[in-house]
Amino acid sequence: MQSPNPPISNVDELLAADNVTAIVALFADAHPADIADALERLTPLKRPQAWTHIPEDIKGEVLAELSEGVFKNLAHELDKGELIDAIKVLDIDDIADLIPDMPEALLADVLFAVDVETRNNLGEVLSYPEDSAGGLMNFDAISVRDNVSLDVVLHYLRLKTSLPDNTDSIFLVDRNKRLTGILPVNILLTAPGGDQAIKYAVESPVSFQCLDSELDVAKAFADYNLVSAPVVDDVGRLLGRITIDDVVDVIRDQAEHDIMAAAGLREEEDIFAPVARTSRSRTIWLAVNLVTALLGSWVIGQFEGSIQKLVALAVLMPIVASMGGNAGTQTLTVVIRGMSLGTISRGNVFNVLKKEALVGILNGIIWAVVIALIAALWYQDVHLGLVIAAAMVANLFMGAIAGVCIPIFLEKMNIDPALAGGVALTTVTDVVGYFSVLGLATLLLL
Amino acid sequence: MQSPNPPISNVDELLAADNVTAIVALFADAHPADIADALERLTPLKRPQAWTHIPEDIKGEVLAELSEGVFKNLAHELDKGELIDAIKVLDIDDIADLIPDMPEALLADVLFAVDVETRNNLGEVLSYPEDSAGGLMNFDAISVRDNVSLDVVLHYLRLKTSLPDNTDSIFLVDRNKRLTGILPVNILLTAPGGDQAIKYAVESPVSFQCLDSELDVAKAFADYNLVSAPVVDDVGRLLGRITIDDVVDVIRDQAEHDIMAAAGLREEEDIFAPVARTSRSRTIWLAVNLVTALLGSWVIGQFEGSIQKLVALAVLMPIVASMGGNAGTQTLTVVIRGMSLGTISRGNVFNVLKKEALVGILNGIIWAVVIALIAALWYQDVHLGLVIAAAMVANLFMGAIAGVCIPIFLEKMNIDPALAGGVALTTVTDVVGYFSVLGLATLLLL
């Protein structure tokens, strides 16, 4: 890649060497996103030092590019006046993004510092959920009346010295400000100027309402290859627009969320946060896990007598639990993805359940044969092998059923399946795995 | 969301009712992406039936929007001639995307069916790795000499009837076709036509080389809010361009990959594939898991005598293994994300290791106290509690170390950490968990 900016890699060393000139020179040429990356790579103590060397005019954009955790941390460390100066010049949607992570006192002062129009627009954006189309909305849409000619549109645009970023279309509205179509900007470059704008307009364009989910917005941008799209109110009046740069952030954040949530982490986790804070933030997850692990242990505890008689059970039972957990996690992952992509819906969920259950049984039989052979050879005991085999089939079957049902149930309960699905699933497969090995052995072998 | 197209939800029922008219009407108004979604929701047997009702002129685009697994399946089912007609009219990068999933025979015929220029361009795209900038490249970039005026550029554009999608900039080149700058299209709408193009050009724009990784491309598009960007050869000559719609697909596919890989699944997994195929595709992962589970069992097997003397060990050891696995997975997830986002680099990896090890010890101590109390109360045995506590600290510490070291090691060995990291980590925490509980108990209690 050829980037206009040299990579910023050694801020840490330059700070240590107190080489201010070099840092200032580095930051002077750099893109705000690259400076933000450099800050993220520093330990929290060093970030405020580096901050002082960022050019004043891009400090706000650097803040907007930081991850939530790092911004939160910096917002507490830096001088309030300086923060306000940096933030107040940002685009409204960028300010709105920062607000949930601001300390209360800073928020009040930021709202006081911005001009009246910005404050009103901010109020509107903040009145919608953070993860809605309204929360992504910007107010820099260019709109013209739909009964004008292309020449008039061109003349109007020339009156502006520049167009907002990602302006790939002009929104056409009727006299009541209702959206009637969108005019691709590039038409203005190729079509005869005397033609009516409406002639070239996309007449029923994709548009969003403020309460649409940002995931639906992201899917629509990806499916229909949009660069910008209008947001309208419930009678179709143009309110603002959403642009691809913000949608890309939504898609990346969503991916981040799903991956982090599966390990019980928040997407804002700051890798260089102090040990105590990190430890605390991860504690709840471990507590949940302890409870589920205790449940498994309780099941084992019911069969202490059996284990004492046949220690091989203690050796083999984790295999059955683990295989069930892995097979079930595969089903769970496929189902969660299918739900979030919309491939799985109420109409076909029963097909999915049937199929996954069959896959579970089939894989269960395959691995039952393998484990039966291993167990029978290891302990020279065919009956033990058969018991483990039966438990394996039972647990892979249950893992498949749980893998389909758990995310559907969690979604109904409004619990994020990406967060809670894995832990719920392995609880089921641990309990069923231990219970089927120990229970069957107690019934049949002892 | 207000979409121009009615949602396509009931194709399944319409096929069952043999209501061809309704399906044709549905598909006639629909966006190719929505039709692709509808196909994905059908079982494999029904997809070819639905396919016949898609309007001929968008069949290619529908193919391009399908997920890999579903396309692969359809490509085997459909008539070859029809597939070729659908594919040959697509953009070059879209054809290139489909090629890895085509049957050999189809590929040869597609290459034969396209015109010479397309074939040459395809050859170029295919000569680069699928996950490189070259593989994402399109050949519809508009370039002009850098010494012309804006009026000349405008005149040149007017000669075209329309501009390619996502044309937010025109590329300026010198007489040797070397990229010298990029001219935002919107400048043409606002700046005086007599001015020289170069005056408004971004003079050292972000550009890519063919072998740049697609992940670097995606990060640059996200960081710098790009809509399109040039691809140049090693002496800076313009070869083509990359557009945001393809980058959005890269970002989504990457997220999909990371989530699916963690469960040993391929991102192309077709949720409605036949049971036997799904079962086969998931088998390797279960085989790997069986081997690692056997390793854990082997460790337990070394202490059968100890378990027979003190069955409580069999009850409590899964808790230690599981807590280590969970804490380690948290570290692993943070480190893999940090590596892929570039936050973790060689310069600061030691800081990460130190920090995560401390978090591991701290959390180890917290949960050691809890589990020691539980164990001591459950079995009325303080010494047993102390042994479990010591094992807990050891395993959470090892989980943290492994969580940092495993992804770094895997990356060095060119193995995808998202795929192999989890299974490697839980192997470590299972083995260490069992070994520390049973080993310490054998040494100190028995």
Side-chain angles (χ1 to χ4, degrees):
Chain A
M1 196 182 111
Q2 194 78 28
S3 169
N5 320 307
I8 309 183
S9 54
N10 53 347
V11 177
D12 206 1
E13 295 153 36
L14 293 175
L15 278 175
D18 217 14
N19 190 343
V20 172
T21 332
I23 300 180
V24 168
L26 262 182
F27 285 177
D29 291 333
H31 189 282
D34 293 323
I35 299 179
D37 280 353
L39 289 184
E40 305 239 349
R41 281 195 292 267
L42 295 174
T43 52
L45 280 178
K46 291 187 179 153
R47 287 176 191 147
Q49 289 177 49
W51 168 263
T52 57
H53 305 308
I54 301 174
E56 295 301 327
D57 58 326
I58 60 167
K59 277 185 166 170
E61 287 166 69
V62 172
L63 290 179
E65 297 281 350
L66 289 173
S67 67
E68 290 178 26
V70 174
F71 169 72
K72 220 180 234 178
N73 159 249
L74 259 185
H76 276 99
E77 298 294 327
L78 298 178
D79 173 66
K80 208 167 68 174
E82 207 179 355
L83 278 170
I84 293 167
D85 288 341
I87 292 170
K88 72 181 183 194
V89 296
L90 287 173
D91 282 349
I92 283 155
D93 62 333
D94 288 332
I95 303 181
D97 276 352
L98 293 177
I99 280 177
D101 304 309
M102 287 184 195
E104 288 282 323
L106 177 62
L107 171 56
D109 287 353
V110 165
L111 289 178
F112 186 75
V114 296
D115 60 48
V116 179
E117 195 193 341
T118 305
R119 192 179 313 136
N120 289 342
N121 286 338
L122 260 181
E124 178 156 3
V125 169
L126 291 174
S127 71
Y128 305 112
E130 211 185 326
D131 56 356
S132 69
L136 286 174
M137 186 167 57
N138 240 320
F139 296 88
D140 56 0
I142 297 180
S143 62
V144 297
R145 281 294 302 280
D146 55 7
N147 57 359
V148 299
S149 71
L150 294 181
D151 272 336
V152 171
V153 179
L154 261 174
H155 183 73
Y156 173 68
L157 295 182
R158 270 191 212 285
L159 293 179
K160 303 175 178 286
T161 42
S162 70
L163 303 188
D165 286 342
N166 296 311
T167 299
D168 71 322
S169 40
I170 310 284
F171 302 127
L172 302 180
V173 293
D174 66 13
R175 71 168 68 175
N176 296 314
K177 288 202 62 177
R178 269 201 288 253
L179 183 76
T180 55
I182 69 172
L183 179 71
V185 160
N186 289 348
I187 289 290
L188 295 169
L189 299 171
T190 54
D195 284 359
Q196 290 292 303
I198 199 82
K199 180 177 161 189
Y200 296 95
V202 180
E203 277 190 43
S204 38
V206 178
S207 66
F208 300 99
Q209 297 209 315
C210 288
L211 291 179
D212 287 340
S213 127
E214 64 174 8
L215 297 184
D216 290 342
V217 174
K219 184 165 163 43
F221 267 74
D223 280 351
Y224 307 137
N225 297 337
L226 305 176
V227 171
S228 72
V231 180
V232 297
D233 68 10
D234 46 8
V235 294
R237 274 188 307 243
L238 181 68
L239 294 176
R241 65 172 192 147
I242 296 175
T243 51
I244 183 71
D245 54 330
D246 295 323
V247 173
V248 165
D249 291 343
V250 168
I251 295 172
R252 284 161 56 108
D253 287 351
Q254 180 60 25
E256 186 90 354
H257 166 83
D258 285 351
I259 290 167
M260 299 296 264
L265 298 163
R266 297 211 243 176
E267 57 268 40
E268 57 177 71
E269 171 105 9
D270 171 4
I271 203 159
F272 299 109
V275 169
R277 197 189 323 150
T278 301
S279 165
R280 207 176 329 123
S281 76
R282 296 190 193 166
T283 284
I284 296 176
W285 188 247
L286 293 174
V288 171
N289 180 60
L290 182 65
V291 173
T292 68
L294 281 171
L295 204 61
S297 289
W298 177 81
V299 172
I300 302 172
Q302 303 310 302
F303 296 95
E304 287 191 2
S306 308
I307 293 173
Q308 200 142 31
K309 283 188 215 148
L310 189 59
V311 175
L313 296 175
V315 175
L316 297 173
M317 66 185 185
I319 300 178
V320 174
S322 155
M323 291 293 278
N326 271 268
T329 301
Q330 294 190 316
T331 299
L332 179 82
T333 305
V334 168
V335 171
I336 292 179
R337 292 311 288 163
M339 283 165 55
S340 73
L341 296 176
T343 327
I344 296 180
S345 57
R346 205 184 306 178
N348 59 21
V349 70
F350 189 70
N351 286 339
V352 176
L353 183 67
K354 209 167 58 184
K355 181 200 150 174
E356 290 292 329
L358 285 174
V359 171
I361 292 175
L362 186 57
N363 275 336
I365 292 172
I366 293 170
W367 296 107
V369 172
V370 175
I371 194 73
L373 285 173
I374 293 174
L377 289 172
W378 190 343
Y379 288 99
Q380 299 291 320
D381 183 342
V382 175
H383 293 106
L384 178 63
L386 290 175
V387 161
I388 299 293
M392 185 74 99
V393 176
N395 203 26
L396 264 72
F397 174 71
M398 272 309 297
I401 300 289
V404 178
C405 296
I406 285 174
I408 293 172
F409 173 76
L410 289 174
E411 187 119 305
K412 279 231 167 99
M413 302 296 290
N414 261 326
I415 302 170
D416 179 5
L419 176 69
V423 89
L425 180 102
T426 49
T427 305
V428 170
T429 51
D430 277 356
V431 166
V432 173
Y434 296 144
F435 184 79
S436 55
V437 170
L438 298 170
L440 285 173
T442 306
L443 268 179
L444 302 174
L445 299 181
L446 303 172
Chain B
M1 195 181 111
Q2 193 76 27
S3 170
N5 320 307
I8 309 183
S9 54
N10 52 347
V11 177
D12 206 1
E13 294 153 35
L14 293 175
L15 278 175
D18 216 14
N19 190 343
V20 172
T21 331
I23 300 180
V24 169
L26 261 182
F27 284 178
D29 291 334
H31 189 283
D34 292 324
I35 299 179
D37 280 354
L39 290 183
E40 306 240 348
R41 281 193 292 266
L42 294 174
T43 53
L45 281 179
K46 291 187 180 153
R47 287 175 191 148
Q49 289 178 49
W51 168 263
T52 57
H53 306 307
I54 301 173
E56 295 300 329
D57 58 327
I58 59 166
K59 277 185 167 170
E61 287 165 70
V62 172
L63 289 179
E65 297 281 350
L66 289 173
S67 67
E68 291 178 25
V70 175
F71 169 72
K72 220 181 232 177
N73 160 246
L74 259 187
H76 277 98
E77 300 293 327
L78 296 179
D79 173 66
K80 207 166 68 174
E82 207 179 356
L83 278 170
I84 292 167
D85 287 343
I87 292 171
K88 71 181 184 196
V89 297
L90 286 173
D91 283 349
I92 284 156
D93 62 333
D94 287 333
I95 303 181
D97 275 353
L98 294 177
I99 282 179
D101 304 309
M102 287 185 196
E104 288 282 322
L106 177 63
L107 171 56
D109 288 352
V110 165
L111 289 178
F112 187 75
V114 296
D115 60 47
V116 180
E117 193 194 342
T118 305
R119 193 180 311 138
N120 290 341
N121 286 339
L122 260 182
E124 179 157 0
V125 170
L126 291 174
S127 71
Y128 305 112
E130 212 185 326
D131 57 355
S132 68
L136 286 175
M137 183 166 59
N138 239 319
F139 295 88
D140 56 0
I142 296 179
S143 62
V144 296
R145 281 293 303 281
D146 55 6
N147 56 0
V148 299
S149 71
L150 294 182
D151 272 337
V152 171
V153 178
L154 261 173
H155 184 72
Y156 174 68
L157 296 183
R158 270 194 211 282
L159 293 178
K160 303 174 178 288
T161 41
S162 71
L163 303 187
D165 286 344
N166 295 310
T167 300
D168 72 323
S169 41
I170 310 284
F171 302 128
L172 302 180
V173 293
D174 67 14
R175 68 167 71 173
N176 297 314
K177 288 202 61 176
R178 269 201 288 253
L179 184 76
T180 54
I182 69 171
L183 179 70
V185 161
N186 288 349
I187 289 292
L188 295 169
L189 299 172
T190 54
D195 283 359
Q196 289 292 302
I198 198 82
K199 181 178 162 190
Y200 296 95
V202 180
E203 279 192 42
S204 37
V206 178
S207 66
F208 301 99
Q209 297 209 313
C210 288
L211 293 178
D212 286 341
S213 127
E214 65 175 8
L215 298 184
D216 291 342
V217 173
K219 183 165 162 48
F221 267 73
D223 280 351
Y224 308 137
N225 297 338
L226 305 176
V227 171
S228 72
V231 180
V232 296
D233 68 11
D234 45 10
V235 295
R237 275 188 306 244
L238 182 67
L239 294 176
R241 65 172 192 146
I242 296 173
T243 51
I244 183 72
D245 54 330
D246 295 322
V247 173
V248 165
D249 291 342
V250 168
I251 296 172
R252 283 162 56 108
D253 287 350
Q254 181 60 26
E256 185 89 355
H257 166 83
D258 286 351
I259 290 167
M260 299 296 263
L265 299 163
R266 297 210 245 175
E267 57 268 41
E268 56 178 73
E269 172 104 9
D270 171 5
I271 206 160
F272 298 109
V275 169
R277 197 190 321 150
T278 300
S279 165
R280 209 177 328 124
S281 77
R282 296 190 192 167
T283 284
I284 297 177
W285 187 247
L286 294 175
V288 170
N289 180 59
L290 181 66
V291 173
T292 68
L294 281 171
L295 203 62
S297 289
W298 178 80
V299 172
I300 301 173
Q302 303 309 301
F303 295 94
E304 287 191 1
S306 308
I307 294 173
Q308 201 142 31
K309 282 189 215 146
L310 190 58
V311 175
L313 296 176
V315 175
L316 298 173
M317 66 184 184
I319 300 178
V320 174
S322 155
M323 291 293 278
N326 272 268
T329 300
Q330 294 191 315
T331 300
L332 180 81
T333 304
V334 168
V335 171
I336 292 179
R337 291 310 289 161
M339 283 166 54
S340 72
L341 297 175
T343 328
I344 295 181
S345 57
R346 205 185 306 180
N348 59 22
V349 70
F350 189 70
N351 286 339
V352 176
L353 184 67
K354 209 166 60 185
K355 181 199 150 175
E356 290 293 330
L358 285 173
V359 171
I361 292 174
L362 188 56
N363 274 337
I365 292 172
I366 293 169
W367 296 106
V369 171
V370 175
I371 194 72
L373 286 172
I374 293 173
L377 289 172
W378 191 342
Y379 289 98
Q380 299 290 321
D381 182 343
V382 175
H383 294 105
L384 178 64
L386 290 175
V387 161
I388 299 293
M392 185 74 100
V393 176
N395 204 26
L396 264 72
F397 174 70
M398 272 308 297
I401 301 288
V404 178
C405 296
I406 285 174
I408 293 172
F409 172 77
L410 289 175
E411 187 121 302
K412 278 231 167 100
M413 304 295 292
N414 261 325
I415 301 170
D416 179 5
L419 176 69
V423 89
L425 180 103
T426 49
T427 306
V428 170
T429 51
D430 277 357
V431 166
V432 172
Y434 296 144
F435 184 80
S436 55
V437 170
L438 298 170
L440 285 173
T442 307
L443 268 180
L444 302 174
L445 298 182
L446 302 172

